[in-house]
Amino acid sequence: MRDLFARLVQRFVDNNGPEDVAISGTHIELTPTLKSFVRHQTDRLFCHGLLVSCVSVDLERDDLRACGPWFVARGYVRTAEREVFASAGADECQKSVSCLIDHLDHI
Protein backbone atom coordinates (compact mmCIF):
# COMPACT_ATOMS: atom_id res chain seq x y z
CA MET A 1 0.00 0.00 0.00
CA ARG A 2 2.85 2.39 0.82
CA ASP A 3 4.48 1.68 -2.51
CA LEU A 4 1.27 2.51 -4.38
CA PHE A 5 0.87 5.76 -2.44
CA ALA A 6 4.50 6.70 -3.11
CA ARG A 7 4.04 6.09 -6.84
CA LEU A 8 0.87 8.22 -6.92
CA VAL A 9 2.61 11.07 -5.07
CA GLN A 10 5.60 10.87 -7.40
CA ARG A 11 3.30 10.86 -10.44
CA PHE A 12 1.51 13.94 -9.08
CA VAL A 13 4.84 15.72 -8.49
CA ASP A 14 6.21 14.71 -11.91
CA ASN A 15 3.08 15.77 -13.80
CA ASN A 16 2.59 19.10 -12.08
CA GLY A 17 5.79 21.02 -12.54
CA PRO A 18 6.25 24.32 -14.32
CA GLU A 19 7.37 22.47 -17.45
CA ASP A 20 3.77 21.34 -17.97
CA VAL A 21 2.66 24.84 -18.95
CA ALA A 22 2.81 25.59 -22.68
CA ILE A 23 2.75 29.31 -23.48
CA SER A 24 2.36 30.68 -26.99
CA GLY A 25 1.70 34.11 -28.42
CA THR A 26 0.23 35.67 -31.55
CA HIS A 27 1.29 39.23 -32.41
CA ILE A 28 2.88 39.54 -28.97
CA GLU A 29 6.42 39.18 -27.69
CA LEU A 30 6.72 36.55 -24.97
CA THR A 31 9.24 38.13 -22.61
CA PRO A 32 10.70 36.15 -19.70
CA THR A 33 8.71 38.37 -17.32
CA LEU A 34 5.43 37.60 -19.10
CA LYS A 35 6.20 33.87 -19.15
CA SER A 36 7.01 33.98 -15.44
CA PHE A 37 3.74 35.80 -14.73
CA VAL A 38 1.72 33.18 -16.66
CA ARG A 39 3.50 30.30 -14.88
CA HIS A 40 2.89 31.95 -11.50
CA GLN A 41 -0.81 32.39 -12.31
CA THR A 42 -1.20 28.80 -13.54
CA ASP A 43 0.24 27.46 -10.27
CA ARG A 44 -3.26 27.91 -8.83
CA LEU A 45 -4.55 25.23 -11.20
CA PHE A 46 -2.11 22.64 -9.83
CA CYS A 47 -3.08 23.20 -6.16
CA HIS A 48 -6.47 21.46 -6.21
CA GLY A 49 -5.21 17.91 -6.03
CA LEU A 50 -6.39 17.03 -9.53
CA LEU A 51 -3.98 15.22 -11.77
CA VAL A 52 -3.48 18.00 -14.29
CA SER A 53 -1.64 16.57 -17.25
CA CYS A 54 -1.54 19.60 -19.55
CA VAL A 55 -2.02 23.37 -19.37
CA SER A 56 -1.77 25.50 -22.48
CA VAL A 57 -2.09 29.30 -22.61
CA ASP A 58 -2.26 31.25 -25.86
CA LEU A 59 -1.94 35.04 -25.75
CA GLU A 60 -3.04 37.23 -28.63
CA ARG A 61 -2.84 40.96 -29.25
CA ASP A 62 -5.48 42.58 -31.46
CA ASP A 63 -4.59 46.07 -32.74
CA LEU A 64 -7.61 46.45 -35.03
CA ARG A 65 -9.89 47.85 -32.33
CA ALA A 66 -10.58 51.58 -32.49
CA CYS A 67 -10.12 52.07 -28.75
CA GLY A 68 -6.60 50.63 -28.62
CA PRO A 69 -4.99 47.21 -28.31
CA TRP A 70 -7.02 44.32 -26.93
CA PHE A 71 -5.46 41.22 -25.40
CA VAL A 72 -7.11 37.81 -25.48
CA ALA A 73 -5.91 34.88 -23.40
CA ARG A 74 -7.12 31.39 -24.30
CA GLY A 75 -6.52 28.42 -22.07
CA TYR A 76 -6.78 24.66 -22.20
CA VAL A 77 -6.51 22.36 -19.19
CA ARG A 78 -6.54 18.56 -19.33
CA THR A 79 -7.07 16.56 -16.16
CA ALA A 80 -7.57 12.87 -15.59
CA GLU A 81 -11.35 13.42 -15.75
CA ARG A 82 -11.97 16.06 -18.42
CA GLU A 83 -10.73 18.79 -20.74
CA VAL A 84 -11.58 22.46 -20.19
CA PHE A 85 -11.32 25.39 -22.61
CA ALA A 86 -11.79 29.07 -21.71
CA SER A 87 -10.91 32.53 -22.96
CA ALA A 88 -10.83 36.04 -21.54
CA GLY A 89 -10.11 39.47 -22.97
CA ALA A 90 -8.94 42.77 -21.47
CA ASP A 91 -7.13 45.96 -22.35
CA GLU A 92 -3.94 44.69 -20.64
CA CYS A 93 -2.23 41.35 -21.13
CA GLN A 94 -1.84 40.60 -17.41
CA LYS A 95 -5.53 41.31 -16.80
CA SER A 96 -6.56 38.90 -19.54
CA VAL A 97 -4.33 36.16 -18.07
CA SER A 98 -5.70 36.74 -14.56
CA CYS A 99 -9.29 36.59 -15.81
CA LEU A 100 -8.55 33.43 -17.78
CA ILE A 101 -7.05 31.66 -14.79
CA ASP A 102 -10.04 32.76 -12.65
CA HIS A 103 -12.36 31.17 -15.23
CA LEU A 104 -10.35 27.94 -15.39
CA ASP A 105 -10.02 27.81 -11.61
CA HIS A 106 -13.77 27.98 -11.05
CA ILE A 107 -14.79 25.47 -13.70
Side-chain angles (χ1 to χ4, degrees), residues 20-83:
D20 292 314
V21 179
I23 305 168
S24 61
T26 306
H27 305 295
I28 189 169
E29 182 181 351
L30 295 176
T31 63
T33 305
L34 183 57
K35 289 180 182 180
S36 175
F37 178 77
V38 172
R39 283 197 175 95
H40 177 71
Q41 290 290 316
T42 56
D43 283 345
R44 294 189 327 196
L45 302 174
F46 294 108
C47 295
H48 295 295
L50 297 173
L51 291 177
V52 176
S53 60
C54 178
V55 175
S56 177
V57 177
D58 181 41
L59 306 174
E60 182 179 351
R61 178 181 171 148
D62 182 11
D63 287 326
L64 300 178
R65 295 178 58 104
C67 60
W70 186 254
F71 296 91
V72 178
R74 293 180 185 88
Y76 166 77
V77 176
R78 184 185 318 150
T79 67
E81 300 170 357
R82 61 185 172 159
E83 297 176 352

